[in-house]
Amino acid sequence: MNKITRRQALSATAGALTALGLAGATAHAAVTGSRSAAPATPAGTVDEVYQGRRIRIVPASDSGGGHGGHHGGHQAPGQPTVFIDGRELHVMRNADGSWISVVNHYETFSGPLPLARAAVRELQGAALVPMGGM
Amino acid sequence: MTIRKNQAALTSEEKRAFVAALLELKRTGRYDRFVTTHNGFIMSDTDSGDRVGHRSPSFLPWHRRFLLEFEAALQEVDPAVALPYWDWTADRTARSSLWAADFLGGTGRARDGQVLDGPFAYAAGKWEIAVRVDGRSYLRRALGTGVAQLPTRAEVDAVLAMPVYDAAPWNSSSAGFRNNLEGWRGANLHNRVHVWVGGQMATGVSPNDPVFWMHHAFIDKLWADWQALHPQSPYLPAAGTANVVDLNDTMRPWNDVTPADMLDHRKFYTFDTEPAPVPAGAAASQR
């Protein structure tokens, strides 16, 4: 938790919540510094540093090959992909529109961003295990 | 016949035997296969797709079968062992004997959530978290942190009073007993207990914490209590429901067992305090 990268530190300084037009895994933030520009809905892309961890949320249509094969074909379409420091967080949308993740699986959140932030708090600095890597 | 007892009533010897059997299943690798199975279902069960283990009517029969398989594994180690249940409406604080060092050990330390006492503490050397979603290999808990209060008896009784087992759309948005017990709706019973314990219990790999089995043994008992209160209320849905396990459909991963097979727990075990018997006619009408 105490070790954040230079890029994360710069990004956090410039404005934590950033809207991105790129979905590449190594894309750097085009920092706008504008909170109001950050889409927190499933349709938007989010890139922010929260408690020293980089959260990226990529809309379903832009998620490319990073999302395939993890759900055994059962996953509902149209859901975004959530990354914490580049590792995918398994998330799920409930019928009422609330969200859960694999690290908070019995507690619902109002959207992918609050869910990702809760995951960062839960992880206490630990890295996610790559999905399907167990 | 196996008798499942309230964990608070176990003797020291019963606690010792239960813990020893858990450690032996862990040592042989068998324990972790249960964790893997649970996580696989929890990640693939979705409200809009196939759903078997969670957020669906088969939540209760699926976990009954899952616990039976686990209990049978324990009994291969020690035939005298049965799954205890944790009545969290009664033993509702971190000071309960459940969390003492001679049983499950206590809550985790503030810095990293690590459990430091009891047989499942990482430093004891016999409980490495191998099936995990993050890099941490020690058992973690944060009792009472994620949510302050465990469900009360009054909240449980209000859910037990619900006469209908489950309802369309048969998922986390359903009305009825099952979803209110599971906790996606209403006062939140089962889900809230996972959150109250914290650590791995709040994640998809929740069976990493041995309290998982005692929590679900109590949920299972509440199903039996509900049946006794509503002997004319059947498992639902009966047939023909897409993505959902109907009464006589087989359940993954076993594929040879149906909810109908799981309705009467007394075929497999009894509880130390049994609810009033279900009239024979009600049970027969399910088949």
Side-chain angles (χ1 to χ4, degrees):
Chain A
M1 289 296 289
N2 295 326
K3 294 177 294 186
I4 60 173
T5 66
R6 175 178 154 80
R7 187 189 71 228
Q8 287 169 333
L10 288 172
S11 179
T13 300
L17 204 54
T18 323
L20 269 193
L22 295 173
T26 59
H28 283 228
V31 176
T32 67
S34 166
R35 290 186 68 86
S36 61
T41 64
T45 298
V46 170
D47 191 331
E48 73 167 18
V49 174
Y50 176 76
Q51 296 190 356
R53 308 290 297 272
R54 187 175 181 208
I55 293 171
R56 284 201 312 122
I57 301 172
V58 181
S61 56
D62 294 342
S63 62
H67 196 53
H70 295 307
H71 309 294
H74 301 303
Q75 196 62 58
Q79 97 172 3
T81 311
V82 177
F83 298 92
I84 296 175
D85 288 347
R87 294 270 179 86
E88 186 178 351
L89 174 71
H90 185 276
V91 303
M92 186 182 293
R93 189 168 193 260
N94 295 320
D96 67 356
S98 64
W99 295 78
I100 57 172
S101 82
V102 76
V103 297
N104 295 98
H105 216 286
Y106 303 91
E107 183 179 7
T108 58
F109 297 87
S110 59
L113 184 56
L115 181 76
R117 289 172 174 171
V120 166
R121 294 191 298 271
E122 161 66 21
L123 287 166
Q124 294 184 291
L128 287 170
V129 169
M131 283 172 52
M134 288 191 303
Chain B
M1 174 65 94
T2 296
I3 301 174
R4 293 189 180 172
K5 300 177 183 174
N6 188 320
Q7 61 80 24
L10 296 186
T11 65
S12 297
E13 175 55 28
E14 286 169 330
K15 291 181 184 179
R16 190 207 59 76
F18 179 61
V19 166
L22 286 166
L23 295 176
E24 177 62 11
L25 289 186
K26 182 71 170 174
R27 186 188 68 80
T28 61
R30 198 163 177 189
Y31 190 97
D32 287 341
R33 292 204 290 278
F34 285 91
V35 186
T36 299
T37 295
H38 186 268
N39 193 43
F41 275 84
I42 213 164
M43 293 206 306
S44 66
D45 294 326
T46 63
D47 278 337
S48 56
D50 265 355
R51 46 197 186 275
V52 180
H54 306 85
R55 58 181 65 239
S56 60
S58 47
F59 168 70
L60 290 169
W62 189 92
H63 281 84
R64 177 165 284 174
R65 180 64 184 77
F66 190 56
L67 264 61
L68 279 168
E69 186 176 18
F70 184 73
E71 189 173 55
L74 290 172
Q75 291 175 342
E76 285 180 34
V77 175
D78 183 346
V81 168
L83 283 181
Y85 61 87
W86 168 31
D87 179 353
W88 25 255
T89 69
D91 293 298
R92 49 187 301 105
T93 76
R95 296 178 300 281
S96 164
S97 60
L98 173 66
W99 308 110
D102 70 341
F103 203 13
L104 296 191
T107 194
R109 65 180 169 191
R111 174 161 65 82
D112 60 3
Q114 185 171 169
V115 171
L116 296 178
D117 66 340
F120 308 101
Y122 185 76
K126 294 182 176 177
W127 204 261
E128 180 172 352
I129 305 300
V131 181
R132 58 198 195 222
V133 296
D134 60 61
R136 294 168 288 183
S137 54
Y138 47 85
L139 180 65
R140 293 178 294 112
R141 293 186 189 123
L143 303 182
T145 299
V147 60
Q149 298 294 331
L150 288 163
T152 64
R153 187 67 227 183
E155 287 171 324
V156 166
D157 287 341
V159 171
L160 289 178
M162 296 177 177
V164 177
Y165 178 76
D166 207 342
W170 320 107
N171 62 18
S172 74
S173 66
S174 289
F177 167 70
R178 186 276 309 168
N179 196 35
N180 277 273
L181 179 61
E182 188 170 0
W184 300 111
R185 182 168 178 147
N188 186 355
L189 303 183
H190 152 269
N191 283 352
R192 196 199 325 176
V193 176
H194 278 274
V195 175
W196 186 89
V197 174
Q200 281 90 2
M201 262 292 273
T203 76
V205 292
S206 47
N208 273 308
D209 191 325
V211 81
F212 172 92
W213 309 103
M214 290 191 237
H215 171 36
H216 270 280
F218 186 57
I219 294 293
D220 183 85
K221 183 177 189 300
L222 292 179
W223 184 23
D225 292 344
W226 177 85
Q227 289 175 305
L229 285 168
H230 307 279
Q232 305 303 322
S233 295
Y235 176 93
L236 295 171
T241 316
N243 295 328
V244 168
V245 181
D246 296 317
L247 176 64
N248 293 300
D249 292 346
T250 58
M251 294 186 287
R252 291 184 288 114
W254 308 287
N255 298 321
D256 62 355
V257 61
T258 67
D261 297 328
M262 290 291 108
L263 295 178
D264 185 1
H265 69 281
R266 293 163 302 179
K267 292 191 291 185
F268 311 106
Y269 51 86
T270 58
F271 294 104
D272 51 1
T273 55
E274 274 293 307
V278 177
S285 71
Q286 297 272 332
R287 296 188 170 79

